[in-house]
Amino acid sequence: MKQQKILVVGSTNTDMVIQTDHLPVLGETILGGTFFMNPGGKGANQAVAIARLGGKITFICKTGRDVFGHQSHQLFEDEGIDTSYIFSDSKFPSGIAMITVDHKAENCITVAPGANMNLTPVDLAKAKPAIDEADIILLQLEIPMETVEYVAKVAKEQNKKVILNPAPAQPLSEELLSALYLITPNETEAELICGQKITDIDSAIKAANLIKAKGVKNVIITMGSKGAFVCTDTICELVPSYKVKAVDTTGAGDIFNGALVLAISEGRDWIEATRFACKTSAIAVTRVGAQSSAPYRNEVDVFNPEK
């Protein structure tokens, strides 16, 4: 089968990470943490995950004209990502994320989006050849909603497969939802979209069907350690997660989405694709960092953890 072209439109950040014994409470100062920097951003994490798994990937984003922007661009090229439509912003700095990770691998994150929030429909109009050439388009919500809606609208008109990872959680228009081939919310994001709180499989089924009623063709709800719930016209099934010792969950959802899209591009069925994504994200949480934790294809192929 001919390899399908994947386009990711989204954010790129530099993650500044501090590992601590526990997450600080309001007004608390914690001494003794370990600091390091990693490339991140939901869009960039997903693009790198796809590239490392062997996907044919183009990434559209906007960086500042600063050292972080230059480093990001070079890193994408080193990963084999097509960077033809990475825009440079003279007004805003590159995006930055401040991340604290505790000994249980839980995290809290604060993002200064910078140039990410100035990625506009005007920029995407200049990058229309990338949309035209893509078979599958992956979006998230760390760029302006009007840009997400523009890409989805143009792609829908060309019958492209548009996949939305609706994070961070925001209200979504019916027009956007109706343009989607697949949406991949977590439990909190799914509740915001449809109003159904998810506590078990039955409530996940209700939530998925409510989201589908809004025009989305397929729904996969990520449910943390439980796994991922797949709902299509023919399947409603929970794909279990894999048991591993988590070190850092930062970016795990992004790695899941990148792997899922790659598997779909290879023609895998829904359950196989979701299982592949669960396995890939399981590897990622055993490592520190977001983008840096994305595994390569050979690592996923030989990984055989307990379900």
Side-chain angles (χ1 to χ4, degrees):
M1 185 180 72
K2 180 182 177 182
Q3 187 177 32
Q4 292 192 317
K5 294 182 179 180
I6 302 170
L7 172 64
V8 176
V9 183
S11 59
T12 178
N13 293 321
T14 297
D15 293 345
M16 299 186 178
V17 184
I18 298 179
Q19 288 182 304
T20 65
D21 182 62
H22 65 276
L23 300 181
V25 298
L26 186 64
E28 180 183 12
T29 299
I30 298 175
L31 296 178
T34 301
F35 173 78
F36 54 91
M37 290 197 302
N38 274 323
K42 299 191 73 62
N45 296 343
Q46 294 172 6
V48 168
I50 293 166
R52 291 187 178 182
L53 294 170
K56 191 171 185 179
I57 170 75
T58 298
F59 182 38
I60 298 176
C61 66
K62 181 174 273 190
T63 67
R65 294 180 182 175
D66 50 36
V67 63
F68 298 122
H70 295 315
Q71 288 176 342
S72 296
H73 199 134
Q74 184 60 54
L75 284 170
F76 299 144
E77 291 189 345
D78 291 345
E79 295 285 355
I81 296 169
D82 184 344
T83 60
S84 301
Y85 297 101
I86 291 182
F87 296 95
S88 179
D89 197 317
S90 60
K91 295 182 180 179
F92 295 93
S94 298
I96 296 294
M98 304 295 293
I99 303 172
T100 305
V101 181
D102 71 9
H103 73 284
K104 296 179 181 178
E106 297 299 327
N107 62 67
C108 60
I109 304 173
T110 303
V111 178
N116 290 306
M117 294 309 292
N118 200 35
L119 181 64
T120 67
V122 173
D123 295 320
L124 269 296
K126 297 175 184 176
K128 191 172 179 295
I131 301 175
D132 296 342
E133 294 171 5
D135 298 294
I136 301 176
I137 298 170
L138 176 58
L139 302 162
Q140 331 75 33
L141 301 177
E142 286 185 338
I143 57 176
M145 184 63 75
E146 63 176 348
T147 304
V148 173
E149 292 176 340
Y150 172 85
V151 175
K153 180 176 182 294
V154 172
K156 181 184 178 182
E157 290 170 353
Q158 300 184 37
N159 295 315
K160 308 286 186 180
K161 290 181 178 177
V162 182
I163 299 174
L164 176 66
N165 173 218
Q170 296 182 46
L172 305 176
S173 69
E174 290 188 8
E175 183 179 10
L176 174 58
L177 290 168
S178 66
L180 301 179
Y181 173 73
L182 169 66
I183 194 167
T184 62
N186 62 22
E187 295 154 297
T188 302
E189 293 153 2
E191 182 181 352
L192 178 63
I193 294 167
C194 70
Q196 171 66 52
K197 186 175 180 61
I198 298 175
T199 57
D200 53 22
I201 295 301
D202 287 341
S203 56
I205 293 172
K206 291 179 182 178
N209 284 324
L210 286 169
I211 294 171
K212 286 182 65 184
K214 293 178 179 291
V216 182
K217 291 183 176 65
N218 305 287
V219 179
I220 296 179
I221 300 174
T222 56
M223 301 177 67
S225 61
K226 299 184 186 73
F229 184 74
V230 182
C231 187
T232 71
D233 288 339
T234 57
I235 299 169
C236 274
E237 184 176 331
L238 178 69
V239 176
S241 62
Y242 291 85
K243 295 179 181 178
V244 295
K245 182 174 176 56
V247 173
D248 182 4
T249 59
T250 307
D254 300 330
I255 306 304
F256 175 93
N257 276 274
L260 179 67
V261 170
L262 185 280
I264 291 171
S265 78
E266 293 180 340
R268 301 195 188 203
D269 65 35
W270 288 109
I271 300 304
E272 288 179 343
T274 305
R275 189 175 292 121
F276 179 80
C278 286
K279 182 184 286 191
T280 305
S281 61
I283 297 172
V285 301
T286 65
R287 303 169 174 177
V288 175
Q291 203 174 112
S292 58
S293 70
Y296 291 90
R297 184 58 171 265
N298 64 313
E299 296 177 291
V300 181
D301 290 342
V302 301
F303 191 61
N304 190 28
E306 179 186 358
K307 284 187 180 180

